[in-house]
Amino acid sequence: QVQLVESGGGLVQAGGSLRLSCAASGTIFTINAMGWYRQAPGKQRELVATITRSDSTNYAESVKGRFTISRDNAKNTVYLQMNSLKPEDTAVYYCNADALIPNSRGFPTAVGSWGQGTQVTVSS
C-alpha cells in the first residue's frame, strides 16, 4: 500500500554527481526509515544508505564520504546525493521504505516497500 517513485538516475562520467529522489505515497501513518540499495550485474543487492525519521544515518563503507542521504519527512521523500562517482557505483538503485500503515482494523502495521529501481551508469 506504499508506492515509491524514484527519479534522478542516468549516465555520468567518473568524478561526476547525481542526485536520486524517492517519494512515498499511500495511506501511511509513519515512515520509520527510508534507504537506498543497489544491485550491480552478477552481484547481490546491497545496502547503500539508510536514514531514520530521527535523522540517524548509516552508509556502506564503499560510499562513505561520497554519498549523502537526506529526507524530507513532510514530503515522505528521501534523497541520495552521489558525488565523486566511480565506475564501480554502476548499478540499479532501489528505494526502500519501512512504514507503518493501517491494517484492516485501522491499527498500525509495519510494512516494507520497494521502488522499481533506477539505473545509474558511471563511465570511466
Side-chain angles (χ1 to χ4, degrees), residues 40-116:
K43 296 184 178 180
Q44 294 182 321
R45 188 174 299 187
E46 65 173 347
L47 184 149
V48 177
T50 60
I51 186 167
T52 68
R53 190 169 185 86
S54 61
D55 212 23
S56 177
T57 59
N58 178 258
Y59 295 92
E61 289 295 327
S62 60
V63 306
K64 285 183 178 178
R66 300 188 298 120
F67 292 9
T68 302
I69 189 169
S70 61
R71 53 94 179 103
D72 185 335
N73 289 336
K75 297 180 179 179
N76 287 336
T77 299
V78 65
Y79 307 93
L80 185 68
Q81 179 66 48
M82 304 185 292
N83 298 325
S84 301
L85 283 162
K86 305 174 181 179
E88 47 263 50
D89 294 318
T90 296
V92 177
Y93 284 69
Y94 297 90
C95 179
N96 171 263
D98 293 323
L100 296 178
I101 65 172
N103 64 11
S104 60
R105 297 185 62 190
F107 291 96
T109 185
V111 297
S113 300
W114 291 93
Q116 65 184 24

Side-chain angles (χ1 to χ4, degrees), residues 110-124:
V111 297
S113 300
W114 291 93
Q116 65 184 24
T118 184
Q119 178 70 48
V120 171
T121 302
V122 184
S123 62
S124 60

